[in-house]
Amino acid sequence: MTDDRYDVAILGSGIGGSMLACILARHGVRTLLLEGATHPRFTIGESLIPETGIRLRIIGEKYGVPEIGWIGAFHKLRDNVSSNCGVKRSFSFMYHSEGREHRAGEVNQLPTLTPPIGPDSHLFRQDVDAYLAALSIQYGAAFRQGTRIEDIKFGEDEVELHAAGGVSFKAKFLIDASGMRSMVSDQLGLRDETPRFKTDTRTLYTHMMNVPSADLLLSDPQHRGVPSPLGQATMHHIFDGGWIWVIPFNNHRQATNPLTSVGMMLDRRKHPDPQGPPEEEFRSVIARFPTIRRHFDGAVAARPWIGSGRLQYSSPHLLGPRVLQLPHAAAFVDPLFSSGMSVLTVAVDLIAERLLRAVQDDDFATERFQFVEDVVNTGFDHYDMIVSGAFDSFASYDTWNAWNRNWALGNMLGAFGPLSLLIRYLQSGDPSHLAKTTEPGRIGVLGSHLPNVVATMRGSQDEIEAATRGEITHAEAGRRIFARLGDLDFVPKYMGFGKPEQGATATFTLLSGARHVTWYRRHGTAAWKENCTFPLRTYAREAFKWALESRREGQRRGRSGIRDILFADNQDWRHLPPAMSAHGRLWPAIPPAAELAVPDSEPAEPTAEVTA
């Protein structure tokens, strides 16, 4: 039996557990990262949103682990981590009615940020998770793969984890990053017997080959009615009773991955039980919608289909004696709107900040982490409202067209807050701007910390529920929601939140971003100015800096190609690989070998005499 002792043990080496291991080890915390399986491994949760990408960059800057920031922006991710990941320039939605081809006007889109902060990414999780787990070793964590924990004992001063083969580990504090099948939840009885969430869905999913761009489903792909290509989006097929995600990893010119993540979420009120094997049920459902069926006519699964029962689970508490759960170990709502990664990045920032202080003080009292629990549970409840409202709204394009603007509102204004702090930090280098990202009133997901946004969503929810009960028509519910959104005084009218005919609210390119910031400077209250404005010169400087670096990299690759045609020798071996070069570009010199010669003045060792 081993008896290794650590400050913090992390159970699970997914993206959240590995990020925390990197941060803690980077700051000298004795950290153990435990994984029952081995990398690489299949996992879903592959789509980012603007707020998530921004917070990943903030976490990287705040804790001195810039590689975490690479995960949040496509070009850095592609160049430094994995070209198997896809680009995400928008959330895109096509609405479908049973037995009828898709109508050209029923497309909605929310474009994501452009450089220097965006675009967002589609994470090929087996590559990203393996990279971050390995990176934790580089920062000094102990990483044990293939180590399945069989028992956990919680003591007054430490947590003891017992693995197969008589191996045990001790730590002052445990982070449960093990996800849905959490041993900690089972052992401490943390989960609700019946999930508290209104959302009630099940899933069918796999990775597929030969899934074409959704743009090819349109009669005129160049005039799709929205600003960004559907094939470079997290694409959603929406229908009454469910939705399908299409997350391509092969949607850019440098892509090396032929796969597309495909999954169907079904409302259990309308699809209560599985109807045959997962692939058979998937094909049966899409056969009712001609345009969706055509999208997958030539597609084949690259791995076995997976089906589930109800996906939702919830916990009133994430905290126990010397243990704290990451969001996915405590609760789950639905992957619609990429909710899981959003809650996770918020939680990682909060936990890292508090855990570093707890280790320094050698004080792991539960109350130190209570705010984490409050923020995460508020975030999940907020997402449940948004997602359950969306499933109700799927009954008609009138209500879906209106309801998705509420989500877009929270998405945009929720991203503005951390973006403004990041740009102010980049202007001044003052870390106090990054410290504000975890202040009460500034941290939440999809605007859950902004009272005006929440009140607007609650009002729209009332209209959706009235239509669901049959008290008003879906058309009337949509009209009322658009009227409410059109009357808001804290969003620009030109964004079109109150216009049913405007399929995309706004882009966030350099010029349109400057327009948004200028509007809030002129028309926003003090609170909205604080949330939605930042130094435009710094933003433009970072954009042009990114463009210049991209040009230089292209020229460097061209020169290297010509060199390789003409010469065998090069100096590339001196350079660290991009995935390792966050803190330096060249390999450090290896110290010379120690002299082994014995000085002449040193007396010889005595020789033993042998006697007969």
Side-chain angles (χ1 to χ4, degrees):
M1 172 184 288
T2 62
D3 197 24
D4 297 336
R5 283 179 165 82
Y6 298 89
D7 295 318
V8 178
I10 300 173
L11 195 57
S13 65
I15 193 168
S18 294
M19 274 197 292
L20 265 178
C22 290
I23 294 168
L24 296 175
R26 168 75 172 82
H27 289 268
V29 176
R30 292 172 299 167
T31 305
L32 172 65
L33 182 62
L34 291 166
E35 174 57 54
T38 56
H39 290 283
R41 60 183 191 179
F42 173 72
T43 232
I44 58 172
E46 299 143 324
S47 174
L48 300 184
I49 67 174
E51 182 179 351
T52 304
I54 295 164
R55 288 194 176 275
L56 286 168
R57 174 73 181 275
I58 287 172
I59 289 170
E61 296 282 352
K62 186 175 181 179
Y63 299 105
V65 186
E67 296 94 340
I68 291 176
W70 296 349
I71 305 300
F74 166 70
H75 294 98
K76 288 285 189 183
L77 178 65
R78 176 199 63 191
D79 294 343
N80 294 334
V81 180
S82 175
S83 58
N84 282 329
C85 298
V87 66
K88 176 179 178 176
R89 303 190 190 279
S90 73
F91 282 88
S92 295
F93 306 87
M94 296 176 68
Y95 186 83
H96 304 270
S97 299
E98 192 166 334
R100 188 168 56 198
E101 284 284 346
H102 167 74
R103 294 176 179 175
E106 296 182 349
V107 178
N108 298 90
Q109 188 174 87
L110 176 68
T112 62
L113 301 176
T114 59
I117 306 301
D120 288 339
S121 306
H122 292 153
L123 305 182
F124 191 53
R125 287 288 301 275
Q126 70 179 49
D127 283 10
V128 174
D129 291 14
Y131 169 71
L132 287 172
L135 186 68
S136 72
I137 302 171
Q138 186 172 324
Y139 277 108
F143 178 35
R144 301 291 187 94
Q145 297 191 73
T147 304
R148 191 168 298 279
I149 300 301
E150 296 180 339
D151 185 44
I152 305 174
K153 296 187 183 301
F154 295 93
E156 290 187 8
D157 300 320
E158 63 185 7
V159 180
E160 189 171 342
L161 302 104
H162 296 275
V167 180
S168 67
F169 310 94
K170 294 180 179 179
K172 295 179 180 179
F173 197 79
L174 177 65
I175 295 291
D176 178 16
S178 58
M180 178 178 65
R181 296 176 180 85
S182 166
M183 177 186 295
V184 172
S185 288
D186 293 341
Q187 189 165 326
L188 299 182
L190 295 177
R191 286 189 184 163
D192 296 316
E193 185 174 346
T194 300
R196 69 177 184 268
F197 303 131
K198 181 181 177 184
T199 306
D200 185 357
T201 58
R202 60 185 180 90
T203 187
L204 318 163
Y205 64 88
T206 189
H207 280 172
M208 302 190 83
M209 299 276 290
N210 303 330
V211 180
S213 169
D215 296 272
L216 297 174
L217 297 172
L218 306 177
S219 58
D220 186 359
Q222 299 302 318
H223 297 85
R224 61 185 74 86
V226 288
S228 184
L230 303 182
Q232 291 193 322
T234 297
M235 181 63 209
H236 305 70
H237 290 299
I238 303 296
F239 55 91
D240 185 13
W243 66 279
I244 296 170
W245 76 73
V246 183
I247 301 177
F249 305 116
N250 59 353
N251 62 349
H252 56 95
R253 292 195 177 192
Q254 292 79 34
T256 53
N257 188 347
L259 298 175
T260 298
S261 179
V262 175
M264 176 183 288
M265 300 300 305
L266 293 171
D267 188 338
R268 292 178 69 244
R269 296 172 299 179
K270 299 180 180 182
H271 302 271
D273 301 308
Q275 302 296 309
E279 181 173 13
E280 182 180 305
E281 183 173 21
F282 177 85
R283 296 288 181 182
S284 174
V285 173
I286 67 173
R288 308 172 195 171
F289 305 94
T291 307
I292 304 178
R293 179 188 55 76
R294 288 193 292 111
H295 198 182
F296 296 102
D297 268 348
V300 293
R303 58 177 301 108
W305 280 83
I306 297 173
S308 79
R310 187 180 183 186
L311 275 182
Q312 290 69 43
Y313 54 93
S314 63
S315 304
H317 301 292
L318 287 69
L319 282 164
R322 291 188 176 264
V323 64
L324 173 61
Q325 294 188 306
L326 289 191
H328 273 81
F332 186 76
V333 178
D334 189 275
L336 186 61
F337 307 131
S338 305
S339 57
M341 288 292 293
S342 179
V343 178
L344 175 65
T345 51
V346 166
V348 166
D349 194 1
L350 284 169
I351 293 169
E353 188 176 73
R354 283 155 176 75
L355 199 49
L356 288 173
R357 292 174 185 165
V359 171
Q360 183 179 1
D361 299 341
D362 196 21
D363 178 5
F364 299 90
T366 301
E367 53 266 23
R368 279 181 173 262
F369 305 97
Q370 186 60 51
F371 184 58
V372 181
E373 178 176 290
D374 296 342
V375 169
V376 169
N377 274 330
T378 298
F380 276 125
D381 290 341
H382 185 71
Y383 259 122
D384 180 48
M385 175 189 69
I386 294 172
V387 173
S388 63
F391 273 93
D392 288 341
S393 78
F394 291 167
S396 165
Y397 184 68
D398 290 319
T399 44
W400 162 245
N401 188 29
W403 180 254
N404 88 79
R405 312 304 174 95
N406 292 266
W407 156 77
L409 179 72
N411 197 316
M412 182 191 76
L413 295 177
F416 254 125
L419 177 62
S420 67
L421 293 172
L422 176 61
I423 300 301
R424 290 169 191 168
Y425 164 76
L426 293 175
Q427 179 196 40
S428 65
D430 182 354
S432 67
H433 293 299
L434 301 182
K436 293 178 181 179
T437 58
T438 51
E439 289 181 354
R442 288 184 183 267
I443 193 161
V445 294
L446 287 190
S448 59
H449 57 297
L450 301 171
N452 305 61
V453 172
V454 175
T456 300
M457 291 179 173
R458 293 292 183 193
S460 297
Q461 182 187 35
D462 292 342
E463 309 297 352
I464 295 291
E465 291 180 347
T468 302
R469 293 190 298 266
E471 297 169 4
I472 58 175
T473 65
H474 288 88
E476 176 61 17
R479 188 194 66 76
R480 292 182 184 182
I481 292 171
F482 276 115
R484 178 181 292 105
L485 293 172
D487 289 340
L488 297 178
D489 61 1
F490 55 88
V491 289
K493 300 297 182 185
Y494 64 78
M495 285 188 174
F497 279 97
K499 298 178 179 178
E501 69 279 7
Q502 190 166 325
T505 49
T507 61
F508 210 109
T509 58
L510 179 62
L511 295 180
S512 62
R515 183 186 187 190
H516 305 334
V517 171
T518 301
W519 186 91
Y520 279 100
R521 284 179 177 173
R522 293 175 177 173
H523 305 289
T525 63
W528 286 116
K529 286 178 182 178
E530 175 68 15
N531 188 78
C532 298
T533 66
F534 48 78
L536 286 174
R537 287 185 179 180
T538 302
Y539 190 69
R541 183 198 70 201
E542 292 294 316
F544 287 117
K545 177 182 173 183
W546 178 89
L548 184 60
E549 289 174 352
S550 298
R551 181 180 179 183
R552 286 174 177 168
E553 178 61 19
Q555 291 172 339
R556 188 200 64 76
R557 292 186 182 186
R559 290 194 300 269
S560 295
I562 295 171
R563 178 205 66 198
D564 290 346
I565 293 171
L566 301 175
F567 304 102
D569 193 19
N570 64 74
Q571 297 293 311
D572 288 354
W573 57 272
R574 293 184 179 274
H575 290 259
L576 280 161
M580 298 173 63
S581 61
H583 299 287
R585 296 183 61 84
L586 298 177
W587 285 102
I590 298 174
E595 286 292 335
L596 299 178
V598 177
D600 293 338
S601 60
E602 185 172 332
E605 290 287 334
T607 302
E609 291 186 358
V610 178
T611 60

